[in-house]
Amino acid sequence: MELLNTDTLEEAQRKLLEESKDLKLRTEVAELSGALGRICARDVAAGENIPPFSRSTVDGYAVRAEDTYGAGEAGPAFFSVAGSVGIEEQACVRSGPQTAVRVQTGSMIPEGATAVLMSEYAEEYAPGKLAAYRPVSEGENLMQTGEDLRQGDQVLRRGRRLTPADVGILAGLGIPSVEVWSLPAVTVISTGNELAGIDEPLSGGKIRDMNSYVLAADARRMGMQVRRTLRCRDDETEIRSAAAGALADSDIILLSGGSSKGQKDYTKQVFEALSHRVFTHGIALKPGKPTILAYERESRTILAGLPGHPMAAALVFQLLIGAWYRERTGAQKMLPYPAVLTENVSSNQGRETCLLVELLPGGEETGHRYRAVPVRAKSGSLSALSRAVGYVRIPRAREGMRRGEQVWVEVLE
Amino acid sequence: MELLNTDTLEEAQRKLLEESKDLKLRTEVAELSGALGRICARDVAAGENIPPFSRSTVDGYAVRAEDTYGAGEAGPAFFSVAGSVGIEEQACVRSGPQTAVRVQTGSMIPEGATAVLMSEYAEEYAPGKLAAYRPVSEGENLMQTGEDLRQGDQVLRRGRRLTPADVGILAGLGIPSVEVWSLPAVTVISTGNELAGIDEPLSGGKIRDMNSYVLAADARRMGMQVRRTLRCRDDETEIRSAAAGALADSDIILLSGGSSKGQKDYTKQVFEALSHRVFTHGIALKPGKPTILAYERESRTILAGLPGHPMAAALVFQLLIGAWYRERTGAQKMLPYPAVLTENVSSNQGRETCLLVELLPGGEETGHRYRAVPVRAKSGSLSALSRAVGYVRIPRAREGMRRGEQVWVEVLE
């Protein structure tokens, strides 16, 4: 495979977005109980205030703050108690000068009051008579109308992966369901005569199929649904028929193995036969060079030919399909970790390198960043991927990175 | 609530573990297709080698490395071709001195060969005659038996949250299922006369119930299953009956609201009636002081009374129930982010403070760490929790932290 004909990772990412732009991601309505972790498909604004009225955050007395100024243990401020507002009650009393209203945590603050004095610092020394032993400042111990969220505030942005707090906010606003991106449907096909199923005895030159498991799990973790996983022999007809059969119900077909330029590498022929348009054949990326991308316009299906080595396949899935999915849904990547590289690493100039690393705690000597320890591994090695927390991208123009260099470690997600 | 009678967070965490030590977490067997994200309950060792035999990682010729030393474009090394090993074939030929064997990516390496020369650097210039235009070093372009994983290697540790790579490794080892922790069963009860359901119109002093949604989502995110969510009025009988009914099928009951010492705070009475043993009442933590912990020995159920403010309830859930669950399963927390605080913050001495922060990119001026921007919010505010990436723990002994101070930001998970 000629380097001259390969794409950079950025080129491949851009082509994938451009070529598949008519692949329409569907949306669906998720009930709150099933919304956690789903990706929001549309901005959501608050239709109500949270809280809907000023509420006390303690048990105590609603007062005008200025009437307490100067109050202390020795010289309390005095109030007359005008009544009570229980929780869930409409506040019907008013708080005026030197007038206190009994409130509970969550009670509506009566009109006129600007703060709440905690019970601990107050004493009803006679019926209807209150002494305040502490001053309170305006707004103290209460939550103003709309202080958490104001009507019209943007609550969720498109692309937001819903957290427990988001679900709680929607509940607080009386929004029982939310529009989220439907899970894209993925078919995973592993190819190779050498592949044995998980329950077959190994014999001769057979190894077990790992890719269909890794890629299916990767797709699930990214928030996709796996329609099926298949295993094919290195047979063009068999592979084509498997891929063709998946077009109708899959947004993405991941075909691993057979993407190099060897005798038995049929991915390119199959993709050309199915789509008439292979737009990327080879990426200047290590690991991950033998990657083939095509798009079938009729069924609107992305065809991704991934390396046969499972670690490389998983990384390319993250870097290409993951980037595509985030761009299309607006979802954010997890924040990378700042770290200091613990050893020199070399890389091929002209090819971007994805260096797997573990993260170890670093102290003063790393400026309170992590130590990024490269996980040495050939591209077939899944145990390296399993050990790694993430990866460092070494740019194409570099020949490597030095021990002690500052790096950002992208999280494997 | 007297500070003298409150526990520190560490004391509360320790007591919770100690008191509930006979709560037996169950395990179950998960098929690989459903194992992603589950927490491994037992160490797993490799019963086979991956790969099970030495394999070529390229298409080319298996040779003895030393026979290629000194080979170049101008002066190739010469070999006779002894045959081929296709993928999935047992290698029957032997590689001897100056003898090359044709291999494909994934072929078994024949005995005697120590490296593979890529096809690109080789030429069969006459039948059975090969010229090598590049030297290869020992081990180049092949993966040794067991190089990814050796029989007996530890593959997974108890507590590991299974990643796609882990699933792939298990598949590669022919292990079709794995013992994982069963999801603890949780009942969530929100209390408060002021609480309205999500579809009720708001009137008077009513607000919508958020806690049951937040806490149910928090429990799900932590890998628990939610048996039911209930809403109770501030009525001791009603609350006791709801909690009592959940004992039989719940490992944990989360009861939010009613944990302060006000008139209508029945959590303590209910827990005492059900368990005869409340071991923590109040934590020196901000937010999160009104937290009550008990353990019911007969049904082996943790009773956790959480603050009524949703943000505080969610944080206490993370800090107490989350810590308990990780300790019991061996699961790891996500790595914290190193950051620099962007402003001075004060905290109560004697109480640990949990400061919510957003993370913004930092450059040279922060030593390539993040900038941790405090999210100002009262403890009722869920929007603050939603905006925050994580929190900084300010120790009890401190009165605050200074702008520019190095902090570690724990991720909300």
Side-chain angles (χ1 to χ4, degrees), chain A residues 152-375:
Chain A
D153 278 357
Q154 175 143 323
V155 178
L156 296 174
R157 275 180 205 283
R158 171 183 170 282
R160 170 79 176 182
R161 205 178 278 275
L162 290 160
T163 65
D166 298 333
V167 172
I169 287 174
L170 293 172
L173 292 168
I175 301 174
S177 61
V178 56
E179 191 176 346
V180 297
W181 293 108
S182 298
L183 311 182
V186 178
T187 288
V188 180
I189 305 172
S190 277
T191 70
N193 291 346
E194 75 278 22
L195 298 181
I198 196 165
D199 44 10
E200 288 175 46
L202 290 181
S203 65
K206 292 263 189 185
I207 58 162
R208 295 192 195 284
D209 169 30
M210 296 190 263
N211 284 12
S212 65
Y213 290 88
V214 179
L215 290 172
D218 265 319
R220 286 194 187 98
R221 182 157 65 166
M222 202 162 278
M224 304 179 173
Q225 57 180 317
V226 176
R227 280 267 187 263
R228 61 184 76 74
T229 59
L230 301 168
R231 206 166 57 243
C232 288
R233 292 183 61 78
D234 291 311
D235 177 277
E236 190 175 342
T237 314
E238 190 178 333
I239 299 171
R240 186 166 57 213
S241 136
L247 284 175
D249 68 0
S250 304
D251 298 301
I252 302 167
I253 297 176
L254 303 173
L255 183 59
S256 76
S259 55
S260 295
K261 288 193 170 165
Q263 254 179 287
K264 295 188 178 170
D265 293 324
Y266 299 115
T267 301
K268 183 151 183 271
Q269 286 98 300
V270 167
F271 282 6
E272 270 169 353
L274 292 179
S275 73
H276 309 290
R277 174 122 180 87
V278 169
F279 54 85
T280 290
H281 189 187
I283 299 186
L285 176 70
K286 184 183 176 183
K289 190 166 78 163
T291 295
I292 303 179
L293 296 173
Y295 182 65
E296 206 284 295
R297 288 179 192 280
E298 205 167 312
S299 62
R300 305 188 175 183
T301 303
I302 291 172
L303 305 171
L306 304 179
H309 295 316
M311 179 184 99
L315 274 175
V316 170
F317 176 81
Q318 293 240 344
L319 291 169
L320 272 180
I321 306 297
W324 169 85
Y325 189 49
R326 279 191 296 272
E327 186 69 29
R328 288 296 304 271
T329 57
Q332 300 295 305
K333 268 184 87 72
M334 269 190 60
L335 291 173
Y337 287 96
V340 172
L341 204 58
T342 58
E343 50 189 87
N344 294 329
V345 290
S346 61
S347 65
N348 292 14
Q349 231 183 325
R351 266 169 85 178
E352 177 167 335
T353 297
C354 226
L355 178 72
L356 291 176
V357 297
E358 290 181 86
L359 289 179
L360 297 180
E364 203 80 56
E365 82 290 358
T366 66
H368 301 286
R369 288 163 291 178
Y370 286 94
R371 288 180 292 138
V373 184
V375 179

Side-chain angles (χ1 to χ4, degrees), chain A residues 16-240:
Chain A
L16 178 56
L17 276 168
E18 177 61 25
E19 295 280 341
S20 69
K21 65 173 182 286
D22 69 355
L23 192 170
K24 199 168 152 42
L25 290 181
R26 285 169 292 279
T27 66
E28 65 195 48
V29 170
E31 299 297 311
L32 286 196
S33 61
L36 180 70
R38 298 298 297 271
I39 304 172
C40 205
R42 196 182 287 278
D43 294 350
V44 176
E48 304 177 352
N49 289 308
I50 299 182
F53 50 84
S54 293
R55 302 177 76 211
S56 177
T57 59
V58 297
D59 292 348
Y61 297 86
V63 294
R64 296 196 321 180
E66 68 254 43
D67 296 341
T68 65
Y69 294 166
E73 283 292 332
F78 294 99
F79 291 83
S80 57
V81 179
S84 302
V85 185
I87 30 182
E88 80 174 317
E89 285 175 22
Q90 187 77 38
C92 300
V93 290
R94 259 189 71 90
S95 188
Q98 304 302 334
T99 307
V101 175
R102 247 179 252 113
V103 292
Q104 299 179 334
T105 305
S107 288
M108 188 183 287
I109 301 291
E111 225 185 301
T114 59
V116 179
L117 178 72
M118 286 177 79
S119 302
E120 286 91 317
Y121 305 107
E123 184 188 4
E124 288 194 41
Y125 61 91
K129 299 290 172 193
L130 182 83
Y133 296 102
R134 238 206 63 171
V136 282
S137 54
E138 227 165 86
E140 198 169 331
N141 296 323
L142 59 80
M143 221 173 162
Q144 310 277 8
T145 308
E147 187 172 333
D148 194 352
L149 275 171
R150 195 168 295 280
Q151 195 178 352
D153 278 357
Q154 175 143 323
V155 178
L156 296 174
R157 275 180 205 283
R158 171 183 170 282
R160 170 79 176 182
R161 205 178 278 275
L162 290 160
T163 65
D166 298 333
V167 172
I169 287 174
L170 293 172
L173 292 168
I175 301 174
S177 61
V178 56
E179 191 176 346
V180 297
W181 293 108
S182 298
L183 311 182
V186 178
T187 288
V188 180
I189 305 172
S190 277
T191 70
N193 291 346
E194 75 278 22
L195 298 181
I198 196 165
D199 44 10
E200 288 175 46
L202 290 181
S203 65
K206 292 263 189 185
I207 58 162
R208 295 192 195 284
D209 169 30
M210 296 190 263
N211 284 12
S212 65
Y213 290 88
V214 179
L215 290 172
D218 265 319
R220 286 194 187 98
R221 182 157 65 166
M222 202 162 278
M224 304 179 173
Q225 57 180 317
V226 176
R227 280 267 187 263
R228 61 184 76 74
T229 59
L230 301 168
R231 206 166 57 243
C232 288
R233 292 183 61 78
D234 291 311
D235 177 277
E236 190 175 342
T237 314
E238 190 178 333
I239 299 171
R240 186 166 57 213

Side-chain angles (χ1 to χ4, degrees), chain A residues 48 53 88 90 108 139 142 148 160 166 204-205 208 233 262 334-338 368 370 378 381-383 386, chain B residues 48 53 59 88 90 139 142 148 160 166 204-205 208 233 334-338 368 370 378 381-383 386:
Chain A
E48 304 177 352
F53 50 84
E88 80 174 317
Q90 187 77 38
M108 188 183 287
L142 59 80
D148 194 352
R160 170 79 176 182
D166 298 333
R208 295 192 195 284
R233 292 183 61 78
M334 269 190 60
L335 291 173
Y337 287 96
H368 301 286
Y370 286 94
K378 300 201 170 160
S381 169
L382 267 185
S383 61
S386 166
Chain B
E48 304 178 351
F53 49 85
D59 292 347
E88 81 173 318
Q90 186 77 37
L142 59 80
D148 193 353
R160 170 82 175 178
D166 297 333
R208 296 191 193 285
R233 292 183 61 78
M334 269 190 60
L335 293 173
Y337 288 94
H368 302 288
Y370 286 94
K378 300 203 171 159
S381 168
L382 266 185
S383 60
S386 166

Side-chain angles (χ1 to χ4, degrees), chain B residues 8 40 90 128 165 169 186 192 270 277 290 317 339 401:
Chain B
T8 64
C40 205
Q90 186 77 37
I169 286 173
V186 178
V270 168
R277 174 125 179 84
F317 176 81
M401 294 187 101

